[in-house]
Amino acid sequence: MQNQEEHVEESETEKMTSTQPSEVDDWANFRDDDIMQQQSAIQAEEAEKIPFVGDKEPLSSLADEYRSGSPILLEKIKVLTDQYAAIRRTRGDGNCFFRSFMFAYLEHIMESQDEAEVDRIKANVEQCRMTLQSLGYAEFTFEDFFALFLEQLESVIQGSEASISLDELIQRSRDQSVSDYVVMFFRFVTSGEIRKRSEFFEPFILGLTNASVEQFCKSAVEPMGEESDHVHITALSDALGVPIRVVYLDRSSCDNGSVSVNHHDFIPVSNNLPCASNGGTEATNPFITLLYRPGHYDILYPK
Amino acid sequence: MQASRARLFKEYKEVQREKSADPDIQLVCDDSNIFKWTALIKGPSETPFEGGVFQLAFSVPEQYPLQPPQVRFLTKIFHPNVHFKTGEICLDILKNAWSPAWTLQSVCRAIIALMAHPEPDSPLNCDSGNLLRSGDIRGYQSMARMYTRLAAMPKKG
C-alpha cells in the first residue's frame, strides 16, 4: 500500500514543473507500447507459420494432420473426400472467417467472370454504405475500406487495365495493407447489418454473451482479430446477399455408428423480392464453402 | 503509411469543420507532423475534474487506423485508470477493442466519459482504485480534486 506522503511529494515536484508543459517525448517507457510490441512480435511469429491465405492443398493434407488423431475425424475426412477436392488454409488470427470469405468470393468471381453477380453485390455494398451513414458512422471512417474492396472486385474481372491474375490475387490476399482492409470492410458491413436489424439479432447475441447489440458490435465485430460466430456469418451473408455453406468437422457422431459430415447453409434473406421469386434453387446454392473446425475456418473446394 | 496519412488528413479537415461542435475538446495537430496530436479536454461537470483542463498527447502509428493511437495524459491526474507517473490510460478501445470506426475526436470523448465513470476494478493507479473500491468516495473525490487544482487549473495571480 503506497502512502499518501508520496503523493504529497509528487504534487510538490509537479507544482514546480507544471508551469512548463512537460516535454515527455519518451515513448519508450510507455507500457502500452511494450504490450503492443510484444503482440506484434507474436503475430510476426505466427505469420512465419502460415500466410493470411495459404496455397491450395489436396484434401489428403488434412488427413495427414489427423493421422494419429481421432478416428471419427479421419472417418469424416474420408466422407469429405467424396465431395471435396482441396482445402486452402487461412491464418488463425481471429480474422479467418472474413479472410476465407474474401478469398473464396473474389476467386469465384475471377473464375466465373459473373458480371451480373458483380453488379448485384455492388448494389448491396451501396446499400451497406447507406446503412452505416444512417446509423451515424462518419463516412471518412469507413470509405477507404469500401473503396479498397470495390477495387479488388473490379480487378478480378478480366479485360481491363486493372485486371489481375490468380497469382496476383493470392499475393494481394497475403499483403496486409490490402487483406486487412478488405477484412475490415466486411467487419463494417457485418456490424451495420446487425445494428440495422438489431431486434432480429438481439436474441442470438444474448445467447452468445451478455452484451447489448451495440456493445457486441463494438467489442466483437468491429475490432480486428475478434472471432466470428454464426451471428457474424448470418449478418454478412444477408448484407451482401451471398449464400455461404459451412461444413462442420468436429468429433460429434451419430448414435447408430454411421459417420456423416454436417453442413449448414447460410442463405441470405432477400431484401428485393423479385430476386427471391425467380431465384429458386439456383440462387440458394452457395458457391462459397468453408470448412469449420472448432475455432477456425478454412476454404473448401468441391470436386 | 500513405493510408494512415490520408485518413489523418480527413480527420484534420473534420476537426477544422466541426470546431465548435464539441466545446469540451480542442484537438490540435502538430505543425510539422500529422502523426503527433495534442488535445485539451475539459474535466466533466459534477466530477472532481470539473473546472480543470487536461492535456493529452497522441502518437499515431503508421498502421492507423487499423491500429489504435497511443494516448496519454500530460497533465497530472488522480484517476484509477490513469497511471499516476506516465499518464498512460487503461481503456479497452485503446487496446483490443480498437476499431477504425473510432477517431481521435471520439477517443477524446471516450476519455472524458472514463473520467466521469472510473473503472476501479482495472486500476493503473492502485491508490485511487483502492479508495473507490473500499467505498471511500469522499477520499477519492478530495484527492482527485486536489490534483485537478494543482495541475489542471490556471494559476491565479
Side-chain angles (χ1 to χ4, degrees):
Chain A
M1 182 86 179
Q2 294 196 336
N3 55 35
Q4 296 221 333
E5 281 160 42
E6 194 185 316
H7 289 306
V8 175
E9 268 172 36
E10 293 268 0
S11 74
E12 275 166 5
T13 52
E14 183 56 31
K15 242 193 277 181
M16 290 188 286
T17 53
S18 64
T19 41
Q20 37 190 191
S22 39
E23 285 208 333
V24 204
D25 247 347
D26 187 12
W27 297 99
N29 55 37
F30 192 23
R31 297 189 315 172
D32 274 6
D33 198 31
D34 298 341
I35 297 167
M36 295 280 207
Q37 264 171 18
Q38 192 183 10
Q39 201 173 1
S40 64
I42 295 168
Q43 280 167 353
E45 206 179 302
E46 279 306 299
E48 302 252 312
K49 292 182 201 153
I50 176 169
F52 286 136
V53 174
D55 291 325
K56 202 167 176 176
E57 302 170 56
L59 215 52
S60 57
S61 78
L62 192 60
D64 292 344
E65 212 176 302
Y66 292 101
R67 185 132 295 163
S68 55
S70 146
I72 297 173
L73 287 178
L74 282 171
E75 211 39 53
K76 285 194 176 182
I77 292 169
K78 211 179 277 174
V79 175
L80 279 181
T81 314
D82 293 339
Q83 273 180 287
Y84 298 97
I87 181 175
R88 192 188 290 274
R89 297 168 201 266
T90 59
R91 190 184 297 169
D93 61 357
N95 300 309
C96 56
F97 164 69
F98 290 114
R99 195 103 58 192
S100 296
F101 180 85
M102 163 186 79
F103 191 86
Y105 185 80
L106 291 173
E107 190 183 33
H108 167 79
I109 297 297
M110 181 172 266
E111 278 172 2
S112 67
Q113 293 296 305
D114 185 346
E115 297 200 27
E117 167 62 18
V118 171
D119 290 342
R120 191 202 58 74
I121 200 171
K122 275 187 186 166
N124 280 46
V125 169
E126 206 41 50
Q127 205 66 46
C128 296
R129 184 194 300 276
M130 290 193 283
T131 300
L132 289 173
Q133 279 170 344
S134 66
L135 288 167
Y137 286 73
E139 178 117 20
F140 73 87
T141 60
F142 61 81
E143 64 188 2
D144 294 347
F145 303 95
F146 274 59
L148 208 89
F149 172 72
L150 292 172
E151 201 181 295
Q152 305 317 306
L153 195 58
E154 293 290 343
S155 68
V156 293
I157 290 292
Q158 301 302 300
S160 83
E161 265 179 42
S163 298
I164 59 170
S165 65
L166 179 61
D167 278 345
E168 201 162 343
L169 177 62
I170 293 171
Q171 286 318 311
R172 286 189 185 185
S173 303
R174 290 174 183 174
D175 172 357
Q176 190 175 17
S177 65
V178 177
S179 204
D180 277 358
Y181 265 63
V182 176
V183 167
M184 196 54 225
F185 160 74
F186 292 135
R187 289 186 178 277
F188 270 117
V189 164
T190 304
S191 185
E193 183 72 13
I194 293 173
R195 285 180 195 229
K196 184 173 81 173
R197 290 162 56 215
S198 59
E199 65 298 334
F200 169 79
F201 283 105
E202 192 172 28
F204 298 102
I205 289 169
L206 282 173
L208 285 175
T209 68
N210 251 334
S212 68
V213 171
E214 166 103 7
Q215 283 167 336
F216 179 79
C217 288
K218 276 204 167 144
S219 63
V221 182
E222 290 173 14
M224 288 293 282
E226 285 295 326
E227 289 179 12
S228 296
D229 225 305
H230 62 97
V231 170
H232 303 70
I233 305 177
T234 306
L236 184 68
S237 170
D238 287 352
L240 295 179
V242 177
I244 302 168
R245 171 166 297 178
V246 177
V247 175
Y248 295 90
L249 182 59
D250 54 25
R251 285 189 225 186
S252 63
S253 60
C254 303
D255 288 339
N256 61 13
S258 73
V259 171
S260 62
V261 183
N262 302 323
H263 72 257
H264 180 76
D265 289 346
F266 292 83
I267 305 298
V269 290
S270 196
N271 299 331
N272 37 354
L273 288 167
C275 219
S277 57
N278 67 20
T281 51
E282 197 189 355
T284 57
N285 200 14
F287 51 78
I288 291 180
T289 307
L290 305 180
L291 176 70
Y292 178 75
R293 287 176 282 168
H296 188 67
Y297 295 89
D298 293 303
I299 305 167
L300 266 187
Y301 292 89
K303 280 191 167 166
Chain B
M1 180 82 168
Q2 216 45 48
S4 56
R5 198 178 282 279
R7 161 70 180 247
L8 285 167
F9 192 65
K10 286 177 195 171
E11 294 204 29
Y12 177 79
K13 282 202 290 194
E14 188 70 13
V15 165
Q16 302 307 310
R17 209 165 60 80
E18 298 269 319
K19 234 171 191 163
S20 53
D22 206 335
D24 295 338
I25 300 167
Q26 200 187 322
L27 193 56
V28 184
C29 177
D30 187 292
D31 285 341
S32 57
N33 185 353
I34 200 163
F35 293 94
K36 299 272 182 204
W37 295 61
T38 54
L40 294 173
I41 58 175
K42 283 188 190 160
S45 58
E46 285 165 51
T47 72
F49 311 107
E50 182 169 8
V53 174
F54 297 82
Q55 194 177 10
L56 303 172
F58 286 75
S59 179
V60 183
E62 284 178 17
Q63 303 270 24
Y64 186 80
L66 283 175
Q67 280 182 8
Q70 296 175 341
V71 193
R72 58 177 179 158
F73 276 89
L74 290 181
T75 308
K76 184 70 75 191
I77 179 170
F78 186 80
H79 185 286
N81 311 110
V82 183
H83 194 285
F84 193 68
K85 290 197 169 120
T86 65
E88 181 188 348
I89 303 165
C90 181
L91 183 59
D92 59 351
I93 60 151
L94 294 176
K95 294 177 186 132
N96 55 349
W98 168 260
S99 92
W102 291 92
T103 64
L104 301 182
Q105 183 87 13
S106 65
V107 164
C108 288
R109 279 199 290 273
I111 291 171
I112 292 174
L114 182 69
M115 288 166 84
H117 303 283
E119 306 264 0
D121 288 334
S122 54
L124 271 174
N125 178 342
C126 292
D127 294 335
S128 176
N130 285 339
L131 283 173
L132 276 179
R133 277 201 288 192
S134 64
D136 190 357
I137 308 295
R138 215 173 138 190
Y140 162 73
Q141 289 185 337
S142 63
M143 284 293 281
R145 199 172 294 125
M146 180 181 85
Y147 279 108
T148 303
R149 286 213 186 136
L150 285 173
M153 287 186 183
K155 304 269 182 295
K156 282 178 190 138

Coordinates of all heavy atoms in Angstrom, one line a residue, chain B residues 51-116:
Chain B
G51 N -13.8 21.9 -14.0 CA -13.1 23.2 -13.9 C -11.6 23.0 -14.4 O -10.9 24.0 -14.6
G52 N -11.2 21.8 -14.5 CA -9.8 21.5 -15.0 C -9.7 21.4 -16.5 O -10.7 21.0 -17.1
V53 N -8.5 21.7 -17.0 CA -8.3 21.4 -18.4 C -7.1 20.5 -18.5 O -6.0 20.8 -17.9 CB -8.0 22.8 -19.2 CG1 -7.6 22.4 -20.6 CG2 -9.2 23.7 -19.2
F54 N -7.3 19.4 -19.2 CA -6.3 18.3 -19.2 C -5.7 18.2 -20.6 O -6.4 18.1 -21.6 CB -6.9 17.0 -18.7 CG -7.4 17.1 -17.3 CD1 -8.7 17.6 -17.0 CD2 -6.7 16.6 -16.3 CE1 -9.1 17.7 -15.7 CE2 -7.1 16.6 -15.0 CZ -8.4 17.2 -14.7
Q55 N -4.4 18.1 -20.6 CA -3.7 17.9 -21.9 C -3.4 16.4 -22.2 O -2.9 15.7 -21.3 CB -2.4 18.7 -21.9 CG -1.9 18.9 -23.3 CD -0.6 19.8 -23.4 OE1 -0.1 20.1 -22.3 NE2 -0.2 20.1 -24.6
L56 N -3.8 16.0 -23.4 CA -3.5 14.7 -23.9 C -2.5 14.7 -25.0 O -2.5 15.6 -25.8 CB -4.8 14.0 -24.4 CG -6.0 13.9 -23.5 CD1 -7.2 13.4 -24.3 CD2 -5.7 12.9 -22.3
A57 N -1.6 13.7 -25.0 CA -0.7 13.6 -26.2 C -1.0 12.3 -27.0 O -1.2 11.3 -26.4 CB 0.8 13.5 -25.7
F58 N -1.1 12.5 -28.3 CA -1.4 11.4 -29.2 C -0.2 11.1 -30.0 O 0.4 12.0 -30.6 CB -2.6 11.7 -30.2 CG -3.9 11.8 -29.6 CD1 -4.3 12.8 -28.8 CD2 -4.8 10.8 -29.9 CE1 -5.6 12.9 -28.2 CE2 -6.1 10.8 -29.3 CZ -6.5 11.9 -28.5
S59 N 0.1 9.8 -30.1 CA 1.1 9.4 -31.1 C 0.5 8.3 -31.9 O 0.0 7.3 -31.5 CB 2.3 8.8 -30.3 OG 3.3 8.4 -31.2
V60 N 0.4 8.6 -33.2 CA -0.4 7.8 -34.1 C 0.6 6.8 -34.9 O 1.5 7.3 -35.5 CB -1.2 8.6 -35.1 CG1 -2.1 7.7 -36.0 CG2 -2.0 9.6 -34.4
P61 N 0.3 5.5 -34.8 CA 1.2 4.6 -35.5 C 1.0 4.6 -37.0 O -0.1 5.0 -37.5 CB 0.8 3.2 -34.9 CG -0.6 3.4 -34.6 CD -0.8 4.8 -34.2
E62 N 1.9 4.1 -37.8 CA 1.8 4.1 -39.2 C 0.7 3.1 -39.7 O 0.2 3.3 -40.8 CB 3.1 3.6 -39.9 CG 4.2 4.7 -39.8 CD 5.5 4.2 -40.4 OE1 5.5 3.1 -41.1 OE2 6.5 4.8 -40.2
Q63 N 0.3 2.2 -38.8 CA -0.8 1.2 -39.2 C -2.2 1.8 -38.9 O -3.2 1.1 -39.1 CB -0.6 0.0 -38.4 CG 0.7 -0.7 -38.6 CD 0.7 -1.7 -39.7 OE1 -0.1 -1.6 -40.6 NE2 1.5 -2.7 -39.7
Y64 N -2.2 3.0 -38.4 CA -3.5 3.7 -38.2 C -4.3 3.7 -39.5 O -3.7 4.0 -40.5 CB -3.2 5.1 -37.6 CG -4.5 5.8 -37.2 CD1 -5.0 5.6 -35.9 CD2 -5.0 6.8 -38.0 CE1 -6.2 6.3 -35.5 CE2 -6.2 7.5 -37.6 CZ -6.7 7.2 -36.3 OH -7.8 7.9 -35.9
P65 N -5.6 3.5 -39.5 CA -6.5 3.3 -38.4 C -6.7 1.8 -38.0 O -7.7 1.5 -37.3 CB -7.8 3.9 -38.8 CG -7.8 3.7 -40.3 CD -6.4 3.7 -40.8
L66 N -5.9 0.9 -38.6 CA -6.1 -0.5 -38.2 C -5.6 -0.7 -36.8 O -6.0 -1.6 -36.0 CB -5.3 -1.4 -39.1 CG -6.0 -1.7 -40.5 CD1 -5.2 -2.5 -41.4 CD2 -7.4 -2.3 -40.3
Q67 N -4.6 0.1 -36.4 CA -4.1 0.1 -35.0 C -4.4 1.4 -34.3 O -4.5 2.4 -34.9 CB -2.6 -0.2 -35.0 CG -2.3 -1.6 -35.2 CD -0.8 -1.9 -35.1 OE1 0.0 -1.1 -34.8 NE2 -0.5 -3.2 -35.5
P68 N -4.6 1.3 -33.0 CA -5.1 2.5 -32.2 C -4.0 3.5 -32.0 O -2.8 3.2 -32.1 CB -5.5 1.9 -30.9 CG -4.7 0.7 -30.7 CD -4.5 0.1 -32.1
P69 N -4.3 4.8 -31.8 CA -3.3 5.8 -31.5 C -2.9 5.5 -30.0 O -3.6 4.9 -29.2 CB -4.1 7.1 -31.5 CG -5.5 6.7 -31.3 CD -5.7 5.3 -31.8
Q70 N -1.7 5.9 -29.7 CA -1.2 5.9 -28.3 C -1.6 7.2 -27.7 O -1.3 8.3 -28.3 CB 0.3 5.7 -28.2 CG 0.7 4.3 -28.7 CD 2.2 4.2 -28.8 OE1 2.9 5.2 -28.7 NE2 2.7 3.0 -28.8
V71 N -2.3 7.2 -26.6 CA -2.7 8.4 -25.9 C -2.3 8.4 -24.5 O -2.4 7.3 -23.8 CB -4.2 8.5 -26.0 CG1 -4.7 10.0 -25.6 CG2 -4.8 8.2 -27.3
R72 N -1.9 9.5 -24.0 CA -1.7 9.6 -22.5 C -1.9 11.0 -22.0 O -1.8 12.0 -22.8 CB -0.3 9.1 -22.1 CG 0.8 9.8 -22.8 CD 2.1 9.3 -22.2 NE 3.2 9.9 -22.8 CZ 4.4 9.9 -22.3 NH1 4.6 9.3 -21.1 NH2 5.4 10.5 -22.9
F73 N -2.1 11.1 -20.8 CA -2.3 12.4 -20.1 C -0.9 13.0 -19.9 O 0.0 12.4 -19.4 CB -3.0 12.2 -18.7 CG -4.4 12.2 -18.8 CD1 -5.1 10.9 -18.9 CD2 -5.2 13.3 -18.7 CE1 -6.5 10.9 -19.0 CE2 -6.6 13.2 -18.7 CZ -7.2 12.0 -18.8
L74 N -0.8 14.3 -20.3 CA 0.4 15.1 -20.0 C 0.2 15.8 -18.7 O 1.1 16.1 -18.0 CB 0.7 16.1 -21.1 CG 1.2 15.5 -22.4 CD1 1.5 16.6 -23.4 CD2 2.5 14.6 -22.2
T75 N -1.1 16.1 -18.4 CA -1.5 16.8 -17.2 C -1.7 15.7 -16.1 O -2.3 14.7 -16.3 CB -2.8 17.6 -17.4 OG1 -2.7 18.4 -18.5 CG2 -3.1 18.4 -16.1
K76 N -1.1 16.0 -14.9 CA -1.2 15.1 -13.8 C -2.7 14.9 -13.5 O -3.4 15.9 -13.4 CB -0.4 15.6 -12.6 CG -0.4 14.8 -11.4 CD 0.5 13.6 -11.6 CE 2.0 13.8 -11.6 NZ 2.7 12.6 -12.0
I77 N -3.1 13.6 -13.3 CA -4.5 13.4 -12.9 C -4.5 12.2 -11.9 O -3.8 11.2 -12.1 CB -5.4 13.1 -14.1 CG1 -6.8 12.8 -13.8 CG2 -4.8 12.0 -15.0 CD1 -7.8 12.8 -14.9
F78 N -5.4 12.3 -10.9 CA -5.6 11.2 -9.9 C -6.9 10.5 -10.3 O -8.0 10.9 -10.0 CB -5.7 11.8 -8.5 CG -5.8 10.8 -7.4 CD1 -4.6 10.2 -7.0 CD2 -7.0 10.5 -6.8 CE1 -4.7 9.3 -5.9 CE2 -7.1 9.6 -5.8 CZ -5.9 8.9 -5.3
H79 N -6.7 9.4 -11.0 CA -7.8 8.6 -11.5 C -7.4 7.1 -11.6 O -6.3 6.8 -12.0 CB -8.2 9.1 -12.9 CG -9.4 8.5 -13.6 ND1 -9.4 7.2 -14.1 CD2 -10.6 9.0 -13.8 CE1 -10.6 7.0 -14.5 NE2 -11.4 8.0 -14.4
P80 N -8.3 6.2 -11.2 CA -7.9 4.8 -11.1 C -7.4 4.3 -12.4 O -6.5 3.3 -12.4 CB -9.2 4.1 -10.8 CG -10.2 5.1 -10.3 CD -9.7 6.4 -10.8
N81 N -7.8 4.8 -13.6 CA -7.4 4.1 -14.8 C -6.3 4.9 -15.6 O -6.1 4.7 -16.8 CB -8.6 3.9 -15.7 CG -9.8 3.3 -15.0 OD1 -10.8 3.9 -14.7 ND2 -9.5 2.0 -14.6
V82 N -5.7 5.9 -14.9 CA -4.6 6.6 -15.5 C -3.4 6.4 -14.6 O -3.4 6.7 -13.4 CB -4.9 8.1 -15.6 CG1 -3.8 8.8 -16.3 CG2 -6.2 8.3 -16.4
H83 N -2.3 6.0 -15.2 CA -1.0 5.9 -14.5 C -0.6 7.2 -13.9 O -0.5 8.2 -14.7 CB 0.1 5.2 -15.4 CG 1.2 4.7 -14.6 ND1 2.2 5.5 -14.1 CD2 1.6 3.4 -14.3 CE1 3.1 4.8 -13.5 NE2 2.8 3.5 -13.6
F84 N -0.3 7.2 -12.6 CA 0.0 8.5 -12.0 C 1.3 9.1 -12.5 O 1.4 10.4 -12.5 CB 0.1 8.3 -10.4 CG 0.0 9.6 -9.7 CD1 -1.1 10.3 -9.6 CD2 1.1 10.0 -9.0 CE1 -1.2 11.5 -8.9 CE2 1.1 11.2 -8.3 CZ -0.1 12.0 -8.3
K85 N 2.2 8.3 -12.8 CA 3.5 8.9 -13.3 C 3.6 9.1 -14.8 O 4.0 10.2 -15.3 CB 4.7 8.0 -12.8 CG 4.9 8.1 -11.3 CD 6.2 7.6 -10.9 CE 6.5 7.9 -9.4 NZ 6.7 6.7 -8.6
T86 N 3.1 8.1 -15.5 CA 3.4 8.2 -17.0 C 2.1 8.8 -17.7 O 2.3 9.2 -18.9 CB 3.6 6.8 -17.6 OG1 2.4 6.0 -17.4 CG2 4.8 6.1 -16.9
G87 N 1.0 8.8 -17.1 CA -0.2 9.3 -17.8 C -0.8 8.3 -18.7 O -1.8 8.6 -19.4
E88 N -0.3 7.1 -18.7 CA -0.9 6.0 -19.5 C -2.3 5.8 -19.1 O -2.7 5.8 -18.0 CB 0.0 4.8 -19.3 CG -0.4 3.6 -20.1 CD 0.3 2.3 -19.6 OE1 1.3 2.4 -18.9 OE2 -0.1 1.2 -20.0
I89 N -3.1 5.4 -20.1 CA -4.6 5.3 -19.9 C -5.0 3.8 -20.1 O -4.6 3.2 -21.1 CB -5.4 6.2 -20.8 CG1 -5.0 7.6 -20.7 CG2 -6.9 6.0 -20.6 CD1 -5.4 8.5 -21.8
C90 N -5.8 3.3 -19.1 CA -6.3 1.9 -19.3 C -7.7 2.0 -19.8 O -8.6 2.3 -19.1 CB -6.3 1.2 -18.0 SG -6.9 -0.5 -18.1
L91 N -7.8 1.8 -21.1 CA -9.1 2.0 -21.8 C -9.2 0.9 -22.9 O -8.3 0.9 -23.8 CB -9.3 3.4 -22.3 CG -10.6 3.8 -23.0 CD1 -11.8 3.6 -22.0 CD2 -10.6 5.2 -23.4
D92 N -10.2 0.1 -22.9 CA -10.3 -1.0 -23.9 C -10.1 -0.6 -25.3 O -9.5 -1.2 -26.1 CB -11.5 -1.9 -23.7 CG -12.8 -1.1 -23.8 OD1 -12.7 0.2 -23.9 OD2 -13.9 -1.7 -23.9
I93 N -10.8 0.6 -25.7 CA -10.7 0.9 -27.1 C -9.3 1.4 -27.5 O -9.0 1.5 -28.7 CB -11.7 2.1 -27.4 CG1 -11.4 3.3 -26.6 CG2 -13.1 1.6 -27.2 CD1 -11.8 4.6 -27.3
L94 N -8.4 1.6 -26.6 CA -7.0 2.0 -27.0 C -6.2 0.7 -27.1 O -5.0 0.7 -27.4 CB -6.4 2.9 -26.0 CG -7.1 4.3 -25.9 CD1 -6.4 5.1 -24.8 CD2 -6.9 5.0 -27.3
K95 N -6.8 -0.4 -26.8 CA -6.1 -1.7 -26.9 C -6.9 -2.7 -27.8 O -7.1 -2.4 -29.0 CB -5.9 -2.3 -25.5 CG -4.9 -1.3 -24.8 CD -4.6 -1.8 -23.4 CE -3.8 -0.7 -22.7 NZ -4.3 -0.2 -21.5
N96 N -7.4 -3.8 -27.2 CA -8.0 -4.8 -28.0 C -9.4 -4.5 -28.6 O -9.8 -5.1 -29.5 CB -8.1 -6.1 -27.2 CG -8.8 -6.0 -25.9 OD1 -9.1 -4.9 -25.5 ND2 -9.1 -7.1 -25.3
A97 N -10.1 -3.5 -28.0 CA -11.4 -3.2 -28.6 C -11.3 -2.0 -29.6 O -12.4 -1.5 -30.0 CB -12.4 -2.8 -27.4
W98 N -10.1 -1.7 -30.0 CA -10.0 -0.6 -31.0 C -10.6 -1.0 -32.3 O -10.6 -2.2 -32.7 CB -8.5 -0.3 -31.2 CG -8.3 0.6 -32.4 CD1 -7.9 0.2 -33.7 CD2 -8.5 2.0 -32.5 NE1 -7.9 1.3 -34.5 CE2 -8.3 2.4 -33.9 CE3 -9.0 3.0 -31.6 CZ2 -8.4 3.7 -34.3 CZ3 -9.1 4.3 -32.1 CH2 -8.8 4.6 -33.4
S99 N -11.2 -0.1 -33.1 CA -11.6 -0.3 -34.4 C -11.5 1.0 -35.2 O -11.5 2.1 -34.6 CB -13.0 -0.9 -34.6 OG -13.9 0.1 -34.7
P100 N -11.3 0.9 -36.5 CA -11.2 2.1 -37.3 C -12.5 3.0 -37.3 O -12.4 4.1 -37.8 CB -11.0 1.6 -38.7 CG -10.5 0.2 -38.6 CD -11.1 -0.3 -37.3
A101 N -13.5 2.5 -36.7 CA -14.7 3.3 -36.6 C -14.5 4.5 -35.6 O -15.2 5.5 -35.6 CB -15.9 2.5 -36.1
W102 N -13.5 4.3 -34.7 CA -13.1 5.4 -33.8 C -12.3 6.4 -34.5 O -11.6 6.1 -35.5 CB -12.4 4.8 -32.6 CG -13.2 4.0 -31.7 CD1 -13.3 2.6 -31.8 CD2 -14.0 4.4 -30.6 NE1 -14.2 2.2 -30.8 CE2 -14.6 3.2 -30.0 CE3 -14.3 5.6 -30.0 CZ2 -15.5 3.3 -28.9 CZ3 -15.1 5.7 -28.9 CH2 -15.7 4.5 -28.4
T103 N -12.3 7.6 -33.9 CA -11.5 8.7 -34.5 C -10.8 9.3 -33.3 O -11.1 9.1 -32.1 CB -12.3 9.8 -35.2 OG1 -13.2 10.4 -34.2 CG2 -13.2 9.2 -36.2
L104 N -9.8 10.2 -33.6 CA -9.1 10.9 -32.5 C -10.1 11.7 -31.7 O -10.0 11.7 -30.4 CB -8.0 11.8 -33.0 CG -6.9 11.1 -33.9 CD1 -5.9 12.1 -34.3 CD2 -6.3 10.0 -33.1
Q105 N -11.1 12.3 -32.3 CA -12.1 13.1 -31.6 C -12.9 12.2 -30.7 O -13.2 12.5 -29.6 CB -13.0 13.8 -32.7 CG -14.0 14.7 -32.1 CD -13.5 16.1 -31.9 OE1 -12.5 16.5 -32.3 NE2 -14.3 16.9 -31.1
S106 N -13.4 11.0 -31.3 CA -14.2 10.2 -30.5 C -13.5 9.5 -29.3 O -14.0 9.1 -28.3 CB -15.0 9.2 -31.3 OG -14.2 8.2 -31.9
V107 N -12.1 9.3 -29.5 CA -11.3 8.8 -28.4 C -11.3 9.8 -27.3 O -11.4 9.5 -26.1 CB -9.9 8.5 -28.9 CG1 -8.9 8.4 -27.8 CG2 -9.8 7.3 -29.8
C108 N -11.2 11.1 -27.6 CA -11.3 12.2 -26.6 C -12.6 12.1 -25.8 O -12.6 12.2 -24.6 CB -11.1 13.6 -27.2 SG -9.5 13.9 -27.8
R109 N -13.7 11.9 -26.6 CA -15.0 11.7 -25.9 C -15.0 10.5 -25.0 O -15.5 10.6 -23.9 CB -16.1 11.6 -26.9 CG -16.5 13.0 -27.5 CD -17.9 12.9 -28.1 NE -17.9 12.1 -29.4 CZ -17.6 12.6 -30.6 NH1 -17.3 13.9 -30.7 NH2 -17.6 11.9 -31.6
A110 N -14.4 9.4 -25.4 CA -14.3 8.2 -24.6 C -13.5 8.5 -23.3 O -13.8 8.0 -22.2 CB -13.8 7.1 -25.4
I111 N -12.5 9.3 -23.4 CA -11.6 9.6 -22.3 C -12.4 10.4 -21.3 O -12.3 10.2 -20.1 CB -10.3 10.2 -22.7 CG1 -9.4 9.1 -23.5 CG2 -9.5 10.7 -21.5 CD1 -8.2 9.6 -24.1
I112 N -13.1 11.4 -21.8 CA -13.9 12.2 -20.9 C -15.0 11.4 -20.2 O -15.2 11.5 -19.0 CB -14.6 13.4 -21.7 CG1 -13.6 14.4 -22.3 CG2 -15.7 14.1 -20.9 CD1 -14.1 15.4 -23.2
A113 N -15.5 10.4 -20.9 CA -16.5 9.5 -20.3 C -15.8 8.7 -19.2 O -16.4 8.4 -18.2 CB -17.2 8.6 -21.4
L114 N -14.6 8.2 -19.5 CA -13.9 7.5 -18.5 C -13.6 8.3 -17.2 O -13.6 7.8 -16.1 CB -12.5 7.0 -19.1 CG -11.7 6.1 -18.2 CD1 -12.3 4.7 -18.0 CD2 -10.3 5.9 -18.8
M115 N -13.3 9.6 -17.4 CA -13.1 10.5 -16.3 C -14.3 10.5 -15.4 O -14.2 10.5 -14.1 CB -12.7 11.9 -16.7 CG -11.3 12.0 -17.4 SD -11.1 13.5 -18.3 CE -10.6 14.6 -16.9
A116 N -15.5 10.5 -16.0 CA -16.7 10.6 -15.2 C -17.1 9.3 -14.6 O -17.8 9.2 -13.6 CB -17.8 11.1 -16.1

